Amino acid sequence: MRTDGGDASQCNGLSNAAYPGSGTGQSCAWKSPIIALPASGSARIAGGDTLRIVPGTYQLGSGGYMQPIPSGPSRTSKTVVVGYGGTPKLVGVGGAHRVLNLDGSSNVEVGNLEITDNSDCVYGHSVSSAACTSSMPWARVGLYARASNYVWLHDLNIHGLGARGINAGGLSNWTMERLKINKNGSAGWEGNIGTGGSNSGNMVMRDIEIAWNGCGERVSTGEPWACWAQQTGGYGDGFGTTDTGGNWLIEDAFIHHNTSDGLDMRYMDGADTTKVTLRRVYSVANAGNQVKIKGNSVVENSVLVGQCTYFRGKYYMTEGDLCRAYGSSLLLIMTGNDTATIRHNTIAGEGDAQIAYGEGTSTDKIFIQNNLVVGFPYYANASNQTLFSGGGAPAAKSFSGNMGWKVRSCPTGATCTQDPQLRNMTLASFDAEPLSGSPVIDKVTMNSAVNSDFLLQPRPSGSSSDVGAYEVQAGGAEPTPTPTPTPTCTRGTPTVGLTGPTTAVAAGTANKYSVSVKNNDSSGCSNTTFSLARSVPSGWTGTLSTTGLALAPGASGSAVLTVTSPGTASAGTYGIGVGTSSSVGSTHTANASATYTVAAPAGMTEALSTSKSSYKAKERVYITARVMRGTVPVSGASVDLVALKPNNINTIELSGKTDSNGYVTVSFISGSGTSSIGTYKVTSTATSGTDVAKATTSFSVYK
């Protein structure tokens, strides 16, 4: 596949070459994956084939989503769909239910792809300005899979979908490596596919990032926005299954800023033959639990930071969506005859209990070994510290080699009297790496089952192992800071900068300006949150990526101001600005300015295309026009299309108005009579005010 390839009649898809411009059956590439796996009809690839997609952008979904990838002949002879020579971008449009389809696909490899859509919207959002509509170029799911075995996913970046990055269940023996599943409107991975969603076999995930799910993604900047969760009709798990089995191994995972739970394995079936093993998981700032597991489990060398109120006052999140299940950083659910082993982790947070456990019977066993737990004021009652551990599970519990700090109570098998001296012990910027002289160093006898640490460094390094996720290597710890006298606080006016494009742009262009703020308070002052405000001409749009920057004295922060002029703005130079304030008062008031120059309007242009180059008689034909003025889409333009039938006498007349992205799509069902078989010539006329643009294209209809 390559964007300058041809259709199925023009090219055979067997050569990495562009369509030469004429002829049929040429040795050249197809122009879209939809040719290989059309929405209807027979697939043009078979099980065991390799489909190579050359870098470029491929829009999928306007005529329906692709059919499933054919299953490979065996586990060692897979069907392969991969980016070739780089990372192509598969863009879902037309509200397609899925971009990539593995429904019933087994023995498959998929890799080196970016999967997204072309809209900021969130499917079903309770706020209308964030919700998807039929006129927007969005897709619901990035990758869908069901009844699928022996699949290898690797090097995938799945982001910005209207609902779910991955919707998959009924899987067996999947391996997933180097995946990013970020900023999808409902959830990162949702396992609910209806019936048959239980998984089995070995399910492996390595080197993954799952973040900002439950949020939309701005196409132009990649920024999250419109975050929501259950109280307002959303969802927001980073990773969640329905009732499931399987042996899950998750290693080297970064799971953060999801609007519900980070890693939700609450629906494991608890069978004696199933298990969840987590190694080197960094889960932080998810609005629910950072990790929850049911049944047999091992959690080791992981850092869990339960800043479950991160989303307070942000986007469309409510208080009821913060700190689900009491905000425990790690929640264990037992079922009877289970064993949970929690060892060499660093766990901190503001939830009720940092390690919580519930349900099950007295036949369950919980081993909590060599963990460091740091408490903070309880989110629901700041006068209380959080618990080291707690819950109603009747399991036999064993604590050994643990350390706690600032926890409400200290269990037998832990010491809680020494400051662990970590690099940063504030909740918002927690850094679990020990400083030199930390009491966690060389504290416990080596556990033969754990011979490395969170960074895969050797454990132990020294006479004994360190408590927590990190093993300080010889000579490798940060030095303990030398105590200094408490300085006085002198407030200073912050330094504010605003820089951005200086060249003239078309009216309606979104210009991005960099905002910089430096806190000039002396070192004796506490951190300050600077509020940001913007100033743009009346009728213009100005959006700040954040309205507040929390800065320590001497520190700098940045934001992005996106300014969009109206499409009707007159040519000229306009002033924009940004200012700061804080609770300190006028000392922290400062501002900066820049300019936005509107160029003389460009002429209007129109582009015309069809969803396919040829259609079968009585098949629906889709014709899409896009109207632009320079680089700016023209919204609300009237588009009139005339399709001259092959007999050069009869015509089909269609019309519509362009959406906010300048697109309009019309369709009709082709006839089957002699006058309808052959080549159609399409002429389109777009009108916006006094501007007129024309475009032509053609397609054919066959019996």
Side-chain angles (χ1 to χ4, degrees), residues 101-135:
N101 191 355
L102 276 73
D103 191 355
S105 304
S106 295
N107 305 320
V108 167
E109 174 190 347
V110 177
N112 303 318
L113 299 172
E114 179 183 359
I115 302 173
T116 186
D117 69 13
N118 254 352
S119 176
D120 297 351
C121 72
V122 174
Y123 175 65
H125 204 291
S126 55
V127 177
S128 60
S129 60
C132 298
T133 67
S134 59
S135 65

PDB file of all heavy atoms in Angstrom, residues 101-135:
ATOM      1  N   ASN A 101      -9.612  -4.382  12.135  1.00  0.00           N
ATOM      2  CA  ASN A 101     -10.599  -5.396  12.490  1.00  0.00           C
ATOM      3  C   ASN A 101      -9.938  -6.763  12.640  1.00  0.00           C
ATOM      4  O   ASN A 101      -9.396  -7.303  11.673  1.00  0.00           O
ATOM      5  CB  ASN A 101     -11.675  -5.433  11.392  1.00  0.00           C
ATOM      6  CG  ASN A 101     -12.882  -6.261  11.787  1.00  0.00           C
ATOM      7  OD1 ASN A 101     -12.912  -6.896  12.835  1.00  0.00           O
ATOM      8  ND2 ASN A 101     -13.886  -6.261  10.931  1.00  0.00           N
ATOM      9  N   LEU A 102      -9.978  -7.317  13.859  1.00  0.00           N
ATOM     10  CA  LEU A 102      -9.476  -8.666  14.126  1.00  0.00           C
ATOM     11  C   LEU A 102     -10.600  -9.536  14.680  1.00  0.00           C
ATOM     12  O   LEU A 102     -10.407 -10.351  15.578  1.00  0.00           O
ATOM     13  CB  LEU A 102      -8.302  -8.648  15.108  1.00  0.00           C
ATOM     14  CG  LEU A 102      -6.906  -8.387  14.517  1.00  0.00           C
ATOM     15  CD1 LEU A 102      -6.750  -6.927  14.118  1.00  0.00           C
ATOM     16  CD2 LEU A 102      -5.819  -8.771  15.502  1.00  0.00           C
ATOM     17  N   ASP A 103     -11.782  -9.376  14.161  1.00  0.00           N
ATOM     18  CA  ASP A 103     -12.930 -10.162  14.607  1.00  0.00           C
ATOM     19  C   ASP A 103     -12.791 -11.586  14.054  1.00  0.00           C
ATOM     20  O   ASP A 103     -12.996 -11.834  12.867  1.00  0.00           O
ATOM     21  CB  ASP A 103     -14.218  -9.516  14.106  1.00  0.00           C
ATOM     22  CG  ASP A 103     -15.455 -10.118  14.746  1.00  0.00           C
ATOM     23  OD1 ASP A 103     -15.328 -11.090  15.507  1.00  0.00           O
ATOM     24  OD2 ASP A 103     -16.556  -9.603  14.489  1.00  0.00           O
ATOM     25  N   GLY A 104     -12.423 -12.532  14.930  1.00  0.00           N
ATOM     26  CA  GLY A 104     -12.213 -13.906  14.509  1.00  0.00           C
ATOM     27  C   GLY A 104     -10.852 -14.167  13.892  1.00  0.00           C
ATOM     28  O   GLY A 104     -10.606 -15.258  13.377  1.00  0.00           O
ATOM     29  N   SER A 105      -9.952 -13.195  13.945  1.00  0.00           N
ATOM     30  CA  SER A 105      -8.628 -13.330  13.316  1.00  0.00           C
ATOM     31  C   SER A 105      -7.645 -13.984  14.279  1.00  0.00           C
ATOM     32  O   SER A 105      -7.431 -13.492  15.387  1.00  0.00           O
ATOM     33  CB  SER A 105      -8.094 -11.959  12.900  1.00  0.00           C
ATOM     34  OG  SER A 105      -8.999 -11.292  12.052  1.00  0.00           O
ATOM     35  N   SER A 106      -7.016 -15.056  13.853  1.00  0.00           N
ATOM     36  CA  SER A 106      -6.001 -15.748  14.640  1.00  0.00           C
ATOM     37  C   SER A 106      -4.727 -15.882  13.818  1.00  0.00           C
ATOM     38  O   SER A 106      -4.739 -15.752  12.586  1.00  0.00           O
ATOM     39  CB  SER A 106      -6.507 -17.128  15.060  1.00  0.00           C
ATOM     40  OG  SER A 106      -7.610 -17.017  15.930  1.00  0.00           O
ATOM     41  N   ASN A 107      -3.629 -16.137  14.536  1.00  0.00           N
ATOM     42  CA  ASN A 107      -2.324 -16.291  13.875  1.00  0.00           C
ATOM     43  C   ASN A 107      -2.022 -15.060  13.012  1.00  0.00           C
ATOM     44  O   ASN A 107      -1.841 -15.140  11.794  1.00  0.00           O
ATOM     45  CB  ASN A 107      -2.292 -17.561  13.024  1.00  0.00           C
ATOM     46  CG  ASN A 107      -2.641 -18.798  13.811  1.00  0.00           C
ATOM     47  OD1 ASN A 107      -2.233 -18.952  14.954  1.00  0.00           O
ATOM     48  ND2 ASN A 107      -3.420 -19.691  13.218  1.00  0.00           N
ATOM     49  N   VAL A 108      -1.973 -13.909  13.676  1.00  0.00           N
ATOM     50  CA  VAL A 108      -1.839 -12.621  12.986  1.00  0.00           C
ATOM     51  C   VAL A 108      -0.752 -11.802  13.664  1.00  0.00           C
ATOM     52  O   VAL A 108      -0.594 -11.840  14.886  1.00  0.00           O
ATOM     53  CB  VAL A 108      -3.182 -11.854  13.017  1.00  0.00           C
ATOM     54  CG1 VAL A 108      -3.001 -10.410  12.590  1.00  0.00           C
ATOM     55  CG2 VAL A 108      -4.214 -12.539  12.128  1.00  0.00           C
ATOM     56  N   GLU A 109      -0.002 -11.044  12.872  1.00  0.00           N
ATOM     57  CA  GLU A 109       0.930 -10.028  13.367  1.00  0.00           C
ATOM     58  C   GLU A 109       0.500  -8.670  12.837  1.00  0.00           C
ATOM     59  O   GLU A 109       0.263  -8.512  11.638  1.00  0.00           O
ATOM     60  CB  GLU A 109       2.363 -10.318  12.910  1.00  0.00           C
ATOM     61  CG  GLU A 109       3.354  -9.207  13.272  1.00  0.00           C
ATOM     62  CD  GLU A 109       4.721  -9.353  12.623  1.00  0.00           C
ATOM     63  OE1 GLU A 109       5.005 -10.447  12.070  1.00  0.00           O
ATOM     64  OE2 GLU A 109       5.496  -8.377  12.637  1.00  0.00           O
ATOM     65  N   VAL A 110       0.402  -7.680  13.738  1.00  0.00           N
ATOM     66  CA  VAL A 110       0.087  -6.308  13.348  1.00  0.00           C
ATOM     67  C   VAL A 110       1.110  -5.398  14.012  1.00  0.00           C
ATOM     68  O   VAL A 110       1.297  -5.469  15.241  1.00  0.00           O
ATOM     69  CB  VAL A 110      -1.339  -5.903  13.778  1.00  0.00           C
ATOM     70  CG1 VAL A 110      -1.603  -4.450  13.412  1.00  0.00           C
ATOM     71  CG2 VAL A 110      -2.378  -6.802  13.130  1.00  0.00           C
ATOM     72  N   GLY A 111       1.781  -4.543  13.235  1.00  0.00           N
ATOM     73  CA  GLY A 111       2.800  -3.708  13.856  1.00  0.00           C
ATOM     74  C   GLY A 111       3.152  -2.470  13.053  1.00  0.00           C
ATOM     75  O   GLY A 111       2.802  -2.314  11.877  1.00  0.00           O
ATOM     76  N   ASN A 112       3.856  -1.561  13.725  1.00  0.00           N
ATOM     77  CA  ASN A 112       4.393  -0.341  13.114  1.00  0.00           C
ATOM     78  C   ASN A 112       3.302   0.521  12.480  1.00  0.00           C
ATOM     79  O   ASN A 112       3.401   0.942  11.323  1.00  0.00           O
ATOM     80  CB  ASN A 112       5.457  -0.683  12.064  1.00  0.00           C
ATOM     81  CG  ASN A 112       6.595  -1.493  12.619  1.00  0.00           C
ATOM     82  OD1 ASN A 112       7.075  -1.235  13.711  1.00  0.00           O
ATOM     83  ND2 ASN A 112       7.016  -2.514  11.888  1.00  0.00           N
ATOM     84  N   LEU A 113       2.248   0.797  13.240  1.00  0.00           N
ATOM     85  CA  LEU A 113       1.139   1.584  12.725  1.00  0.00           C
ATOM     86  C   LEU A 113       0.714   2.642  13.736  1.00  0.00           C
ATOM     87  O   LEU A 113       0.783   2.414  14.958  1.00  0.00           O
ATOM     88  CB  LEU A 113      -0.070   0.690  12.424  1.00  0.00           C
ATOM     89  CG  LEU A 113       0.090  -0.414  11.376  1.00  0.00           C
ATOM     90  CD1 LEU A 113      -1.147  -1.302  11.371  1.00  0.00           C
ATOM     91  CD2 LEU A 113       0.332   0.182  10.001  1.00  0.00           C
ATOM     92  N   GLU A 114       0.256   3.773  13.253  1.00  0.00           N
ATOM     93  CA  GLU A 114      -0.445   4.768  14.059  1.00  0.00           C
ATOM     94  C   GLU A 114      -1.920   4.697  13.675  1.00  0.00           C
ATOM     95  O   GLU A 114      -2.265   4.721  12.495  1.00  0.00           O
ATOM     96  CB  GLU A 114       0.101   6.162  13.803  1.00  0.00           C
ATOM     97  CG  GLU A 114      -0.606   7.250  14.609  1.00  0.00           C
ATOM     98  CD  GLU A 114      -0.103   8.646  14.300  1.00  0.00           C
ATOM     99  OE1 GLU A 114       0.815   8.785  13.465  1.00  0.00           O
ATOM    100  OE2 GLU A 114      -0.644   9.610  14.879  1.00  0.00           O
ATOM    101  N   ILE A 115      -2.788   4.591  14.689  1.00  0.00           N
ATOM    102  CA  ILE A 115      -4.220   4.454  14.448  1.00  0.00           C
ATOM    103  C   ILE A 115      -4.937   5.558  15.211  1.00  0.00           C
ATOM    104  O   ILE A 115      -4.804   5.674  16.439  1.00  0.00           O
ATOM    105  CB  ILE A 115      -4.721   3.070  14.908  1.00  0.00           C
ATOM    106  CG1 ILE A 115      -3.959   1.954  14.167  1.00  0.00           C
ATOM    107  CG2 ILE A 115      -6.212   2.933  14.665  1.00  0.00           C
ATOM    108  CD1 ILE A 115      -4.266   0.560  14.680  1.00  0.00           C
ATOM    109  N   THR A 116      -5.710   6.389  14.495  1.00  0.00           N
ATOM    110  CA  THR A 116      -6.362   7.524  15.138  1.00  0.00           C
ATOM    111  C   THR A 116      -7.579   7.923  14.309  1.00  0.00           C
ATOM    112  O   THR A 116      -8.028   7.183  13.438  1.00  0.00           O
ATOM    113  CB  THR A 116      -5.362   8.692  15.298  1.00  0.00           C
ATOM    114  OG1 THR A 116      -5.960   9.750  16.053  1.00  0.00           O
ATOM    115  CG2 THR A 116      -4.900   9.221  13.953  1.00  0.00           C
ATOM    116  N   ASP A 117      -8.173   9.085  14.614  1.00  0.00           N
ATOM    117  CA  ASP A 117      -9.187   9.660  13.732  1.00  0.00           C
ATOM    118  C   ASP A 117      -8.883  11.136  13.516  1.00  0.00           C
ATOM    119  O   ASP A 117      -7.851  11.628  13.982  1.00  0.00           O
ATOM    120  CB  ASP A 117     -10.608   9.401  14.246  1.00  0.00           C
ATOM    121  CG  ASP A 117     -10.963  10.168  15.522  1.00  0.00           C
ATOM    122  OD1 ASP A 117     -10.206  11.101  15.899  1.00  0.00           O
ATOM    123  OD2 ASP A 117     -11.982   9.850  16.157  1.00  0.00           O
ATOM    124  N   ASN A 118      -9.763  11.817  12.823  1.00  0.00           N
ATOM    125  CA  ASN A 118      -9.472  13.201  12.428  1.00  0.00           C
ATOM    126  C   ASN A 118     -10.362  14.209  13.139  1.00  0.00           C
ATOM    127  O   ASN A 118     -10.623  15.281  12.606  1.00  0.00           O
ATOM    128  CB  ASN A 118      -9.628  13.360  10.913  1.00  0.00           C
ATOM    129  CG  ASN A 118      -8.283  13.482  10.218  1.00  0.00           C
ATOM    130  OD1 ASN A 118      -7.255  13.594  10.869  1.00  0.00           O
ATOM    131  ND2 ASN A 118      -8.281  13.450   8.899  1.00  0.00           N
ATOM    132  N   SER A 119     -10.842  13.865  14.341  1.00  0.00           N
ATOM    133  CA  SER A 119     -11.730  14.773  15.054  1.00  0.00           C
ATOM    134  C   SER A 119     -11.342  14.850  16.524  1.00  0.00           C
ATOM    135  O   SER A 119     -10.835  13.884  17.097  1.00  0.00           O
ATOM    136  CB  SER A 119     -13.187  14.295  14.933  1.00  0.00           C
ATOM    137  OG  SER A 119     -14.047  15.124  15.700  1.00  0.00           O
ATOM    138  N   ASP A 120     -11.600  16.012  17.137  1.00  0.00           N
ATOM    139  CA  ASP A 120     -11.383  16.187  18.576  1.00  0.00           C
ATOM    140  C   ASP A 120     -12.468  15.529  19.410  1.00  0.00           C
ATOM    141  O   ASP A 120     -12.342  15.440  20.630  1.00  0.00           O
ATOM    142  CB  ASP A 120     -11.394  17.685  18.933  1.00  0.00           C
ATOM    143  CG  ASP A 120     -10.280  18.473  18.282  1.00  0.00           C
ATOM    144  OD1 ASP A 120      -9.385  17.858  17.688  1.00  0.00           O
ATOM    145  OD2 ASP A 120     -10.311  19.719  18.366  1.00  0.00           O
ATOM    146  N   CYS A 121     -13.545  15.069  18.807  1.00  0.00           N
ATOM    147  CA  CYS A 121     -14.771  14.770  19.548  1.00  0.00           C
ATOM    148  C   CYS A 121     -14.685  13.495  20.378  1.00  0.00           C
ATOM    149  O   CYS A 121     -13.820  12.644  20.171  1.00  0.00           O
ATOM    150  CB  CYS A 121     -15.948  14.669  18.579  1.00  0.00           C
ATOM    151  SG  CYS A 121     -15.936  13.195  17.542  1.00  0.00           S
ATOM    152  N   VAL A 122     -15.618  13.380  21.326  1.00  0.00           N
ATOM    153  CA  VAL A 122     -15.752  12.211  22.199  1.00  0.00           C
ATOM    154  C   VAL A 122     -17.138  11.611  21.978  1.00  0.00           C
ATOM    155  O   VAL A 122     -18.155  12.309  22.106  1.00  0.00           O
ATOM    156  CB  VAL A 122     -15.557  12.593  23.676  1.00  0.00           C
ATOM    157  CG1 VAL A 122     -15.833  11.410  24.580  1.00  0.00           C
ATOM    158  CG2 VAL A 122     -14.142  13.117  23.901  1.00  0.00           C
ATOM    159  N   TYR A 123     -17.195  10.334  21.670  1.00  0.00           N
ATOM    160  CA  TYR A 123     -18.461   9.673  21.356  1.00  0.00           C
ATOM    161  C   TYR A 123     -19.396   9.675  22.571  1.00  0.00           C
ATOM    162  O   TYR A 123     -19.029   9.231  23.653  1.00  0.00           O
ATOM    163  CB  TYR A 123     -18.192   8.234  20.921  1.00  0.00           C
ATOM    164  CG  TYR A 123     -19.441   7.415  20.679  1.00  0.00           C
ATOM    165  CD1 TYR A 123     -20.314   7.741  19.656  1.00  0.00           C
ATOM    166  CD2 TYR A 123     -19.748   6.324  21.487  1.00  0.00           C
ATOM    167  CE1 TYR A 123     -21.452   7.001  19.418  1.00  0.00           C
ATOM    168  CE2 TYR A 123     -20.887   5.569  21.262  1.00  0.00           C
ATOM    169  CZ  TYR A 123     -21.733   5.913  20.232  1.00  0.00           C
ATOM    170  OH  TYR A 123     -22.863   5.176  20.015  1.00  0.00           O
ATOM    171  N   GLY A 124     -20.617  10.190  22.381  1.00  0.00           N
ATOM    172  CA  GLY A 124     -21.628  10.172  23.427  1.00  0.00           C
ATOM    173  C   GLY A 124     -21.374  11.114  24.581  1.00  0.00           C
ATOM    174  O   GLY A 124     -22.012  10.989  25.628  1.00  0.00           O
ATOM    175  N   HIS A 125     -20.469  12.078  24.430  1.00  0.00           N
ATOM    176  CA  HIS A 125     -20.148  12.978  25.547  1.00  0.00           C
ATOM    177  C   HIS A 125     -21.400  13.748  25.973  1.00  0.00           C
ATOM    178  O   HIS A 125     -22.217  14.153  25.152  1.00  0.00           O
ATOM    179  CB  HIS A 125     -19.050  13.949  25.136  1.00  0.00           C
ATOM    180  CG  HIS A 125     -18.281  14.498  26.302  1.00  0.00           C
ATOM    181  ND1 HIS A 125     -18.829  15.365  27.214  1.00  0.00           N
ATOM    182  CD2 HIS A 125     -17.009  14.292  26.718  1.00  0.00           C
ATOM    183  CE1 HIS A 125     -17.923  15.687  28.126  1.00  0.00           C
ATOM    184  NE2 HIS A 125     -16.801  15.036  27.847  1.00  0.00           N
ATOM    185  N   SER A 126     -21.528  13.924  27.288  1.00  0.00           N
ATOM    186  CA  SER A 126     -22.705  14.594  27.827  1.00  0.00           C
ATOM    187  C   SER A 126     -22.706  16.097  27.570  1.00  0.00           C
ATOM    188  O   SER A 126     -23.738  16.754  27.739  1.00  0.00           O
ATOM    189  CB  SER A 126     -22.804  14.326  29.329  1.00  0.00           C
ATOM    190  OG  SER A 126     -21.608  14.703  29.991  1.00  0.00           O
ATOM    191  N   VAL A 127     -21.584  16.648  27.179  1.00  0.00           N
ATOM    192  CA  VAL A 127     -21.501  18.068  26.821  1.00  0.00           C
ATOM    193  C   VAL A 127     -21.507  18.165  25.297  1.00  0.00           C
ATOM    194  O   VAL A 127     -20.635  17.614  24.625  1.00  0.00           O
ATOM    195  CB  VAL A 127     -20.230  18.709  27.409  1.00  0.00           C
ATOM    196  CG1 VAL A 127     -20.107  20.170  26.967  1.00  0.00           C
ATOM    197  CG2 VAL A 127     -20.253  18.620  28.934  1.00  0.00           C
ATOM    198  N   SER A 128     -22.486  18.846  24.751  1.00  0.00           N
ATOM    199  CA  SER A 128     -22.705  18.819  23.305  1.00  0.00           C
ATOM    200  C   SER A 128     -21.511  19.336  22.518  1.00  0.00           C
ATOM    201  O   SER A 128     -21.230  18.849  21.418  1.00  0.00           O
ATOM    202  CB  SER A 128     -23.959  19.624  22.950  1.00  0.00           C
ATOM    203  OG  SER A 128     -23.815  20.983  23.366  1.00  0.00           O
ATOM    204  N   SER A 129     -20.783  20.306  23.061  1.00  0.00           N
ATOM    205  CA  SER A 129     -19.655  20.869  22.319  1.00  0.00           C
ATOM    206  C   SER A 129     -18.501  19.887  22.192  1.00  0.00           C
ATOM    207  O   SER A 129     -17.611  20.080  21.359  1.00  0.00           O
ATOM    208  CB  SER A 129     -19.157  22.144  23.006  1.00  0.00           C
ATOM    209  OG  SER A 129     -18.734  21.867  24.335  1.00  0.00           O
ATOM    210  N   ALA A 130     -18.518  18.837  23.005  1.00  0.00           N
ATOM    211  CA  ALA A 130     -17.463  17.824  22.931  1.00  0.00           C
ATOM    212  C   ALA A 130     -17.905  16.566  22.207  1.00  0.00           C
ATOM    213  O   ALA A 130     -17.080  15.708  21.890  1.00  0.00           O
ATOM    214  CB  ALA A 130     -16.986  17.462  24.345  1.00  0.00           C
ATOM    215  N   ALA A 131     -19.202  16.411  21.965  1.00  0.00           N
ATOM    216  CA  ALA A 131     -19.744  15.155  21.429  1.00  0.00           C
ATOM    217  C   ALA A 131     -19.535  15.051  19.923  1.00  0.00           C
ATOM    218  O   ALA A 131     -19.498  16.048  19.203  1.00  0.00           O
ATOM    219  CB  ALA A 131     -21.227  15.049  21.758  1.00  0.00           C
ATOM    220  N   CYS A 132     -19.405  13.818  19.442  1.00  0.00           N
ATOM    221  CA  CYS A 132     -19.272  13.555  18.009  1.00  0.00           C
ATOM    222  C   CYS A 132     -20.618  13.719  17.306  1.00  0.00           C
ATOM    223  O   CYS A 132     -21.664  13.359  17.860  1.00  0.00           O
ATOM    224  CB  CYS A 132     -18.748  12.141  17.773  1.00  0.00           C
ATOM    225  SG  CYS A 132     -17.096  11.840  18.453  1.00  0.00           S
ATOM    226  N   THR A 133     -20.567  14.237  16.104  1.00  0.00           N
ATOM    227  CA  THR A 133     -21.753  14.316  15.260  1.00  0.00           C
ATOM    228  C   THR A 133     -21.440  13.657  13.922  1.00  0.00           C
ATOM    229  O   THR A 133     -20.278  13.397  13.592  1.00  0.00           O
ATOM    230  CB  THR A 133     -22.184  15.771  15.028  1.00  0.00           C
ATOM    231  OG1 THR A 133     -21.177  16.430  14.235  1.00  0.00           O
ATOM    232  CG2 THR A 133     -22.360  16.512  16.342  1.00  0.00           C
ATOM    233  N   SER A 134     -22.478  13.417  13.140  1.00  0.00           N
ATOM    234  CA  SER A 134     -22.308  12.707  11.872  1.00  0.00           C
ATOM    235  C   SER A 134     -21.468  13.485  10.870  1.00  0.00           C
ATOM    236  O   SER A 134     -20.929  12.904   9.928  1.00  0.00           O
ATOM    237  CB  SER A 134     -23.672  12.388  11.258  1.00  0.00           C
ATOM    238  OG  SER A 134     -24.400  13.591  11.027  1.00  0.00           O
ATOM    239  N   SER A 135     -21.359  14.789  11.065  1.00  0.00           N
ATOM    240  CA  SER A 135     -20.586  15.588  10.116  1.00  0.00           C
ATOM    241  C   SER A 135     -19.092  15.584  10.411  1.00  0.00           C
ATOM    242  O   SER A 135     -18.306  16.114   9.627  1.00  0.00           O
ATOM    243  CB  SER A 135     -21.090  17.038  10.133  1.00  0.00           C
ATOM    244  OG  SER A 135     -20.853  17.638  11.399  1.00  0.00           O
TER     245      SER A 135
END
